[in-house]
Each structure stands twice: as C-alpha cells, then as structure tokens.
Amino acid sequence: MATIVVKQIGSPIRRPAKQRATLVGLGLNKMQKTRELEDTPSVRGMVRSIPHLVEIIEEKP
C-alpha cells in the first residue's frame, strides 16, 4: 500500500473546531510533528481541507 508522510506546519490555535478535529484525525497535535499515513482518498481529502496547517513531505509507492 502506498503511503504519504504528512508534517504539521501550522498551529491549531484560533482555528475552527473542525480544522482542529481534522488534525487530530490525522494524528497530529504538535508543530513540526510528522506521521506516515496510508495514501487513501479520505486521507488526501483531510490534507486538502487544511493545506495551511499541513504539508506532504514525501510520497512512497
């Protein structure tokens, strides 16, 4: 299964609760933290909904 490495680059302070919940759903809670996640449409959608808070570092086949 393909994976992507996602890094949190923005703070959830003063952000809507929905955006904070999306970060928690991705398993991110601190600045500069990275997570390796399965490359699924749902994960891509979550990343796409908060592009100002996260970035994709690496895509592994």
Side-chain angles (χ1 to χ4, degrees):
M1 180 56 104
T3 61
I4 58 174
V5 178
V6 179
K7 179 179 180 180
Q8 182 177 343
I9 58 169
S11 172
I13 296 173
R14 296 183 61 195
R15 300 285 180 196
K18 189 173 181 180
Q19 292 180 6
R20 286 196 300 268
T22 303
L23 276 176
V24 172
L26 289 170
L28 299 170
N29 60 358
K30 293 183 178 165
M31 295 286 291
Q32 309 303 319
K33 186 173 180 180
T34 61
R35 282 287 313 265
E36 186 169 343
L37 303 165
E38 286 188 17
D39 191 4
T40 62
S42 61
V43 170
R44 287 283 183 162
M46 291 170 80
V47 169
R48 215 173 292 122
S49 69
I50 52 170
H52 53 288
L53 298 178
V54 298
E55 70 178 0
I56 296 176
I57 300 289
E58 185 178 355
E59 297 182 28
K60 300 178 183 177

